[in-house]
Amino acid sequence: MTSSGRTIVLAGATSAAGLATARALIAAGAHVVATGRSAERLAPLAEAGAQIEVADATAWADMTALAERLDAVDGVISLVGGWRGGGGLAGQSDEDFAALLPALQAVRVTSRAFDALLKASDAGRFAIVSSTAVLKPLAGGANYVTIKAAAETWARAVAQGYAKAARDAGAALRAASVILRVEGGLDPDSLARAVVGLWDAPASELNASVVELTAA
């Protein structure tokens, strides 16, 4: 089982990590659907061979409409992110928290919008990008780590939903929800390799798992 021939949605793909992941998936034979809010920022992904969709990964209407347009989806990778921090606990402003919140909103929205399609796939994969900071929270990153920890909790709930659906149907588990946890800064190539590799192992091994990302 590989990512070749799979349809994979990169939600919020206009970062360097999104472009690297799209290129790696396309090179592996996957069909990539890249979303973003700006057609201009999506242009490099189109040049790389991705199908681009101007759509907000945090908007339920946008993501459900996209899901309805796609015949099948084998993977959804939530890439909406960002960093704000510093200044100790006193520096954790409401404005910074609000700026970080879309990362969690995208995880919630995309997992729900594509839930039926991922469960229908013979190898559905849902993945989020987190940080090892959740293991040792610091006051200066409290806003950031809270969003990441909440996203991990949501991803685990998605995993339980996949397992329950398979169990209730008396079927083998085919969908997996995975946490891609980064140590330090995100290396786009490391993320790309990890995403391509999500189809190298069965769902029974991957569901509810944490994959640690390291730079080459």
Side-chain angles (χ1 to χ4, degrees):
M1 186 183 302
T2 69
S3 56
S4 180
R6 303 289 179 185
T7 295
I8 301 164
V9 176
L10 301 182
T14 56
S15 64
L19 182 57
T21 302
R23 285 173 171 163
L25 285 168
I26 291 165
H31 173 62
V32 172
V33 180
T35 81
R37 293 181 296 176
S38 164
E40 181 179 359
R41 294 187 65 192
L42 283 168
L45 290 130
E47 293 171 4
Q51 172 185 336
I52 62 169
E53 296 284 346
V54 178
D56 185 348
T58 71
W60 175 250
D62 285 8
M63 290 297 103
T64 53
L66 177 58
E68 290 171 0
R69 292 198 300 273
L70 297 174
D71 293 333
V73 172
D74 302 294
V76 175
I77 316 300
S78 184
L79 296 175
V80 176
W83 158 258
R84 292 200 184 191
L89 200 62
Q92 305 306 292
S93 68
D94 291 347
E95 292 77 13
D96 283 350
F97 187 81
L100 293 166
L101 191 56
L104 175 59
Q105 292 171 326
V107 169
R108 291 184 65 252
V109 168
T110 55
S111 64
R112 293 163 56 222
F114 293 96
D115 186 57
L117 288 174
L118 291 175
K119 287 175 180 174
S121 169
D122 66 348
R125 301 289 184 266
F126 178 76
I128 71 164
V129 180
S130 186
S131 168
T132 55
V134 299
L135 304 176
K136 191 176 181 181
L138 301 177
N143 277 336
Y144 173 79
V145 77
T146 295
I147 294 296
K148 290 300 186 184
E152 287 201 8
T153 298
W154 189 276
R156 289 192 178 94
V158 173
Q160 190 276 334
Y162 291 161
K164 183 178 186 301
R167 186 170 60 250
D168 290 349
L173 180 64
R174 301 183 303 182
S177 175
V178 181
I179 295 165
L180 305 175
R181 192 182 283 163
V182 178
E183 181 175 5
L186 176 60
D187 174 55
D189 292 331
S190 177
L191 175 63
R193 288 192 299 271
V195 171
V196 172
L198 290 175
W199 286 266
D200 292 342
S204 58
E205 294 181 12
L206 287 173
N207 198 35
S209 69
V210 176
V211 176
E212 302 286 350
L213 301 190
T214 57

